[in-house]
Amino acid sequence: MERVDRCVVLVDAGYLLGAAASLLAGEPARSRITVDHTALIQGLRELAESDTGRPLLRIYWFDGAPDRVPQPEHRRLRVMPRVTVRLGALTRSDGRWAQKGVDAAMHAELTELARNHACSDIVLVTGDGDLLPGLMSAKEHGVAVHLWAVQAADGDYNQSEDLVAEADERRVLDRGWITGAVRAKDLAAAVTPPPAPRPEIAAILSAPLPESAIAAAQERAAGAAGPGGDDAPGHGAVPADAPAAPAAKGVPTPKDLAGLRAPGLHPPQPLPSATLRWSSDKGWIDRAGTLGEPPETASLPTLAQLTSAEQRWADREEDITTVGGDPFEVGQVFARRWTARLPENGHVQKLATMYPRIPHRIDGELLRYAARFGLLAHKDDQIDEHDRYAIRAGFWREIDVRAAAEHAPAAE
């Protein structure tokens, strides 16, 4: 079989980005750096073609991900031209993350490319000595192997010496080259207390119950108290000897709020002064004696009901190519699509009056959409609490923009 005069780049992302973090931020945590993946891939391609004198066939990007679910950066990488993403597992042990299966995948790809004469030159960006057998096998099949290292923070090797000794050609990606695509995050920000939440999130966390809900709670409390007058327990007041509600730990959850009940009522009722700190209406609306949803939300269609097959395909393409996966952005994208496809403008105004509650059907659909972007906490398939608030805050920001735009003509 005739050998193809092309080059291939195999990148161990854990090594490349971990070593870059050590060089620029002083520790190997990838959370300490920001990466321009477009610039990084372009830099790798140009340097590989220059070093080998061959056109690029493909860049293989090997990385770990929890449960092998692509993270936002993987979604961006795998749609770039000439880039193929291969994911191993990412597991946590003794408080540290470790990749599983990445070395084996790199070894398999390296040997298959050489055995099938798919290229004349292979560039390895790695430091792991486990790839030594694969490197030697590639050489035996007549492939020139180029080994690239990231400049070590301490000036010493950060690669296996056996790997270095076996490589045909070697290069060090120095600080100047690395900073073309990688930046250290602001160290001052890293050691200071976390910044205050976005105003949009803070608004959701602190928003009181709607007046209609408060009035309904008061009526139910009055009805349950019977003819005892204002002094009867539950008439919007809590008896002096009532046990204090437990102190909230962080942001109260729906379960926490469910415990804020006025004692002495059978059944107990929510306190009128309780604060709604989540967006879904499930868990606090009294559904007793009713079937299905409240009338004010039952008429709101879901995004799935409003989306044609052609739009679904276009949405998926947009998700893959342009949506980065930031929780706030995800909420905005979902709301923008939903509002753009609504047949009646009144639906947006109706929803705006429900702030900060998102009807349960739409809220569930929103969170399922967000789960596509790797926002799940993989132990229990739940979205992180802070991410949920950010997703919903993005949703409400877009609803506010649309509602304001619909009101503008009427105000003139």
Side-chain angles (χ1 to χ4, degrees):
M1 183 183 296
E2 184 179 353
R3 184 171 303 283
V4 179
D5 288 335
R6 294 179 293 194
C7 68
V8 171
V9 182
L10 305 183
V11 180
D12 178 348
Y15 165 76
L16 173 59
L17 300 181
S22 293
L23 179 64
L24 302 181
E27 60 179 273
R30 287 161 63 170
S31 60
R32 298 292 301 275
I33 56 175
T34 58
V35 183
D36 181 342
H37 290 91
T38 302
L40 182 57
I41 293 299
Q42 184 61 29
L44 289 169
R45 176 172 187 166
E46 292 175 354
L47 194 56
E49 292 181 336
S50 173
D51 270 15
T52 65
R54 312 293 188 190
L56 177 77
L57 171 62
R58 190 173 297 114
I59 294 175
Y60 288 90
W61 185 271
F62 296 87
D63 202 3
D67 297 336
R68 291 185 169 87
V69 176
Q71 301 301 294
E73 66 184 85
H74 304 137
R75 299 172 63 86
R76 290 192 292 271
L77 283 162
R78 66 185 183 179
V79 296
M80 292 180 183
R82 304 283 180 145
V83 176
T84 295
V85 175
R86 297 279 189 258
L87 294 179
L90 192 63
T91 59
R92 192 171 182 86
S93 177
D94 296 328
R96 300 184 63 183
W97 289 100
Q99 296 182 157
K100 299 294 183 183
V102 171
D103 297 338
M106 288 189 72
H107 181 278
E109 201 69 58
L110 175 60
T111 53
E112 282 298 305
L113 288 167
R115 183 182 298 116
N116 293 321
H117 304 286
C119 57
S120 58
D121 295 75
I122 291 179
V123 175
L124 284 177
V125 187
T126 186
D128 198 329
D130 289 345
L131 285 176
L132 181 61
L135 186 154
M136 297 173 66
S137 175
K139 289 173 62 177
E140 291 170 0
H141 283 87
V143 174
V145 180
H146 304 249
L147 183 65
W148 290 359
V150 176
Q151 179 182 339
D154 56 8
D156 201 353
Y157 282 129
N158 54 13
Q159 292 178 302
S160 161
E161 291 191 22
D162 291 336
L163 208 61
V164 171
E166 280 291 333
D168 293 308
E169 303 286 347
R170 295 184 292 276
R171 168 184 282 277
V172 175
L173 303 176
D174 61 17
R175 180 186 294 268
W177 190 91
I178 291 293
T179 53
V182 182
R183 295 283 190 277
K185 291 183 178 177
D186 184 8
L187 295 179
V191 298
T192 55
R198 288 190 182 100
E200 300 83 7
I201 300 177
I204 287 180
L205 301 185
S206 62
L209 285 168
E211 293 183 3
S212 59
I214 295 176
Q218 289 174 334
E219 290 176 4
R220 290 195 299 270
D230 290 346
D231 294 332
H235 197 73
V238 181
D241 58 350
K249 298 180 179 179
V251 177
T253 65
K255 183 177 180 181
D256 296 330
L257 270 180
L260 295 177
R261 304 282 177 162
L265 299 184
H266 302 285
Q269 301 295 331
L271 291 173
S273 59
T275 301
L276 184 67
R277 293 183 182 267
W278 76 99
S279 295
S280 174
D281 55 23
K282 185 178 181 182
W284 78 273
I285 283 187
D286 184 6
R287 299 177 187 268
T290 64
L291 295 176
E293 298 180 77
E296 67 271 18
T297 65
S299 63
L300 294 176
T302 63
L303 179 59
Q305 293 171 333
L306 299 169
T307 303
S308 66
E310 292 79 7
Q311 287 172 322
R312 189 173 297 110
W313 184 89
D315 289 348
R316 194 64 173 169
E317 283 293 301
E318 182 184 10
D319 290 344
I320 292 172
T321 57
T322 62
V323 181
D326 173 76
F328 189 80
E329 177 193 15
V330 166
Q332 287 183 300
V333 170
F334 181 92
R336 183 163 60 247
R337 291 174 184 167
W338 187 72
T339 56
R341 295 168 192 171
L342 285 172
E344 302 175 21
N345 291 341
H347 284 314
V348 175
Q349 301 301 331
K350 180 184 296 185
L351 180 63
T353 64
M354 300 178 189
Y355 178 85
R357 297 182 297 115
I358 301 176
H360 181 59
R361 286 183 307 128
I362 297 173
D363 187 58
E365 189 180 35
L366 169 61
L367 296 181
R368 287 192 297 274
Y369 170 66
R372 298 180 190 174
F373 295 91
L375 296 174
L376 291 178
H378 296 276
K379 289 185 177 180
D380 54 5
D381 286 340
Q382 296 295 318
I383 295 178
D384 176 78
E385 185 175 50
H386 181 272
D387 285 347
R388 289 202 309 273
Y389 289 124
I391 291 163
R392 290 160 173 164
F395 177 90
W396 281 117
R397 166 57 66 85
E398 199 64 28
I399 294 298
D400 288 344
V401 170
R402 178 65 180 266
E406 291 181 2
H407 262 303
E412 293 177 355

